[in-house]
Amino acid sequence: MERRAEAPPPQGLDFTVENVEKALHQLYYDPNIENKNLAQKWLMQAQVSPQAWHFSWLLLNMDKVPEIQYFGASALHIKISRYWNDIPADQYETLKSQLFTHITRFASGSKIVLTRLCVALASLALSMMPEAWPCAVADMVRMFQAEDSNVDGRARCLALLELLTVLPEEFQTSRLPQYRKGQVRSVLAQECGSVFPLLEQLLQQQDSPGFIKQKVLKCFSSWVQLEIPLMDCENLIQAAFTSLRDPELFDTAVEAVVNAISQPDAQRYVNTLLKLIPPVLGLQEQLRQAVQSGDMETSHGICRIAVALGENHSRALLDQVEHWQSFLALVNMIMFCTGIPGHYPVNETTSSLTLTFWYTLQDDILSFEPDKQAVYQQVYRPVYFQLVDVLLHKAQFPSDEEYGFWSSDEKEQFRIYRVDISDTLMYVYEMLGAELLSSLYDKLGRLLTNTEQPSTWQHTEALLYGFQSIAETIDVNYSDVVPGLIGLIPRISISNVQLADTVMFTIGALSEWLADHPVMINNVLPLVLQALGNPELSISSVSTLKKICRECKYDLPPYAANIVAVSQEVLMKQIHKTSQCMWLMQALGFLLSALQVEEILKNLHSLITPYIQQLEKLADETPNPSNKLAIIHILGLLSNLFTTLDISHHDDDHESTEVKKLPVQQGPNPVVVVLQQVFQLIQKVLSKWMNDAQVVESVCAIFEKSVKTLLDDFAPMVPQLCEMLGQMYSTIPQASAIDLTRQLVHIFAHEPAHFPPIKALFLLVTSVTLTLFQQGPRDHPDIVDSFMQLLAQALKRKPDLFLCSNLDVKAVFQCGVLSLKFPEAPTVKASCGFFTELLPRCGEIAPVGQVVHENGKVLLQAVLEGVGGQASRSLMDHFAEILFALNKHCFSYLSVWIKEAMQEDGFPSARVSPEQKETFSQQILRERVNKRRVKEMVKEFTLLCRGLHGTEYTADY
């Protein structure tokens, strides 16, 4: 039935029962991992083979072990769900009958096999309903309720419940075509009339055992996700609330209630929602008892129910103005859950569930028209002020002793939890405004000035954390409390790393405010510089200094000498990890940018000289792993310094990098001066480390970051850099060298003065790469990727490069075609980018036009091969762009090429008919304006080529 399995299996075995059993034994019991992998691969082929219809039933014999039976049931499910179109309609009834028989047989057998058979029957039902099997669900209920003396009644009941539970689950994952999905969902929703009365009856029966009731609740939970009207679920929801009192049923009942309340359609049934508030509020006593006894599972479950009702339906419930008190009671219950006693995540895991509710409630209140909003603001502003107190209390660190016992995982969870609280506080600012900052400032002021009752550092830290959360994202420049806060910060007695970190991050969050109020910088800068010397405050102190240097650089010259001296000291002492050292260099780059050129050069000299001396020493040593790390570290420091050292100040005006910058100073740029001084040293380092990709990458990074920052100011370096890059790439081709070449082409190729060295470098890189292609480029997908991007950039910025007589345009074209067939998606994407830049140049660049007209058919064939199934489906939009460009710029040729290519049997896939190929060709040739339509055509055609059209795989494509 299925074409895909026609290729012989890897082990050359037929798909027989005996061979399947042997392969399963190998999969489960062979200790050799390669044998296991081979067996798994072969079994996957067996499952989709035509023979699977035969061996699956035989594997289900009752004398087989469950692992073998399970494989048989799984194979049936795969055949039914994925290859439904292969099953003749006259076999539907037989298949249905066989599945019913086997489910009945396994009702008292292996649970995992029973479930798999139920999933197979569910898949069959979904594919047949409504036409071929009109009352599928009612039939299932009737079949299993019929007396069968061979099967115990309770086992039959469990089998029916299993079938009814997996049916909606299979529907959710089946990825039926969209039109079928809507059709089947409405049929299932109607059929709930056959299911719910049965579930209610089983829950209400006094003699129903716990495991049956649990299965009933799971079944209900599964069905409510089919968007069944909430009022039809009312009786079962109430029964689920009753089940919450039974510890055995508690978890399943929570799941059922939450799923029922959370379905999107539920908000249409406001009266039913209002009826649900009293039973939710009725859980408060059970919640309090659970909290007192430390029963985290129960408190967690009840909180989930309260939040599900509040979060999903706050708008609908707020609209019921006459019921405002009952909704406020629900809000207060959720507040209790937010402030649940204990430290997250060690003593409780519930409070984090509630945070999204507060966002939703606020959004809904602020979405009302002004009059109604004012009324709700009156009721809920006090609630949100209370929320801030609760959240800051929850954000407090435990005692040092207790925190010392926490695992690293618990500490990380607590850090993430505090970030979530921070985000919530920032959001709440929209509701409470400046009054929130005043409230925090008053509390902090009282805390720090109260000499009678000394506060804990945790309390101070939490209030500062609240400030920091808001100041990081909200513009506090006009706040009248920030000057007071800056004044309070030096009064904080810092006895603890966590508090010191928060002080640092708070100063960092206020850096923009400090730029507007430079007179206050001296209040906090000494604290930051002092913290730089503490390795425990590495991240907070360095990131804060970087923010201050970036935002306040024009006000920092009086402090520059001090900042540089302290930074140099900590760098020399190697207090910080590599990434913080890099940030510190970026901070110094920002700082130096605002100084006079002579000052910059003087500081650069003192800052860089020790590293240059170290690099000179390293350059003389024989390469080994430890001096390699030292070299990369020094090169990284220089790169990061040059990333931000920008005296033209074009980072301030947020203009595009294309804009010409007015020179601010006379003479060469200080960065260029330094680069020219160290150029020979870098060449010396390179000569010893040319074979090492990481060192080469680090060297390229210095120049790439300098080029990006300096733009035209980098011009004096262009000739010698082009020469060095050429030598590097000729010796050992590496992607980082091509990427830097691309950067130079982007910025300088259009300038006549720099065109000769860049042209020479471009031709050399192209020539070396073409040689690499002749030797076999498969081992270098990164080089091919970068080369394709370079070609595209050249066509974009300086198409004249393709007019050079010594550029072999035909060879470049063929390399592009070869690159389209690489298995690495980024490489293929880059190759497509090259062709979409090349094809529009057919008319203006004669060599390009000639090569495309002579070889375009080969390009088309490569594109069609990719569409036909050779390339990842994620690349189809990029292939479509090539087809669109071919049609737009080479129409007369394309109409001939596509006809010739499509005449070949089995091309681009054996799964498409000549008619389908003809239709696709005509569609492509007709569409020369709308690129989006071409992309849709290609997606449609690739699904046909892969045999996936109309299957479950297409739903999310």
Side-chain angles (χ1 to χ4, degrees), residues 559-570:
Y559 313 103
N562 195 14
I563 295 172
V564 172
V566 173
S567 301
Q568 264 186 288
E569 188 185 346
V570 298

Side-chain angles (χ1 to χ4, degrees), residues 78-98:
I78 285 171
K79 295 298 284 183
I80 292 167
S81 61
R82 294 191 195 171
Y83 306 110
W84 176 251
N85 294 334
D86 294 345
I87 306 172
D90 60 3
Q91 288 183 24
Y92 293 170
E93 286 304 317
T94 314
L95 189 54
K96 185 206 303 183
S97 167
Q98 280 178 298

Side-chain angles (χ1 to χ4, degrees), residues 363-522:
D363 284 347
D364 289 337
I365 290 169
L366 297 180
S367 69
F368 285 125
E369 64 277 7
D371 293 348
K372 199 169 179 182
Q373 192 185 123
V375 174
Y376 278 111
Q377 286 259 20
Q378 218 174 342
V379 175
Y380 284 99
R381 271 177 77 83
V383 173
Y384 272 86
F385 273 112
Q386 185 192 346
L387 174 67
V388 171
D389 289 343
V390 167
L391 289 176
L392 291 177
H393 182 72
K394 293 297 292 180
Q396 282 186 28
F397 279 88
S399 69
D400 294 338
E401 186 184 1
E402 195 184 332
Y403 194 62
F405 285 114
W406 284 20
S407 68
S408 56
D409 186 42
E410 286 166 342
K411 287 177 180 174
E412 177 59 11
Q413 283 185 58
F414 182 58
R415 186 193 67 77
I416 294 165
Y417 175 66
R418 278 170 49 99
V419 171
D420 292 340
I421 286 178
S422 172
D423 292 344
T424 312
L425 288 169
M426 180 266 291
Y427 206 74
V428 166
Y429 181 83
E430 192 187 345
M431 177 95 149
L432 302 180
E435 205 180 324
L436 171 56
L437 287 178
S438 302
S439 161
L440 290 175
Y441 173 66
D442 291 344
K443 283 175 183 158
L444 187 62
R446 282 201 299 275
L447 211 60
L448 295 176
T449 53
N450 187 345
T451 48
E452 293 168 23
Q453 251 188 326
S455 62
T456 61
W457 70 262
Q458 286 92 337
H459 201 165
T460 307
E461 190 278 336
L463 283 168
L464 263 184
Y465 185 68
F467 246 113
Q468 175 211 322
S469 304
I470 294 159
E472 259 177 347
T473 40
I474 308 289
D475 182 5
V476 293
N477 280 8
Y478 306 105
S479 167
D480 53 0
V481 301
V482 177
L485 175 66
I486 296 278
L488 280 177
I489 284 176
R491 298 183 60 162
I492 295 171
S493 165
I494 299 176
S495 55
N496 174 282
V497 172
Q498 283 91 1
L499 175 57
D501 259 337
T502 303
V503 168
M504 283 301 112
F505 285 128
T506 305
I507 295 169
L510 295 171
S511 55
E512 285 184 41
W513 185 90
L514 287 168
D516 290 338
H517 305 82
V519 71
M520 302 296 275
I521 289 173
N522 202 30

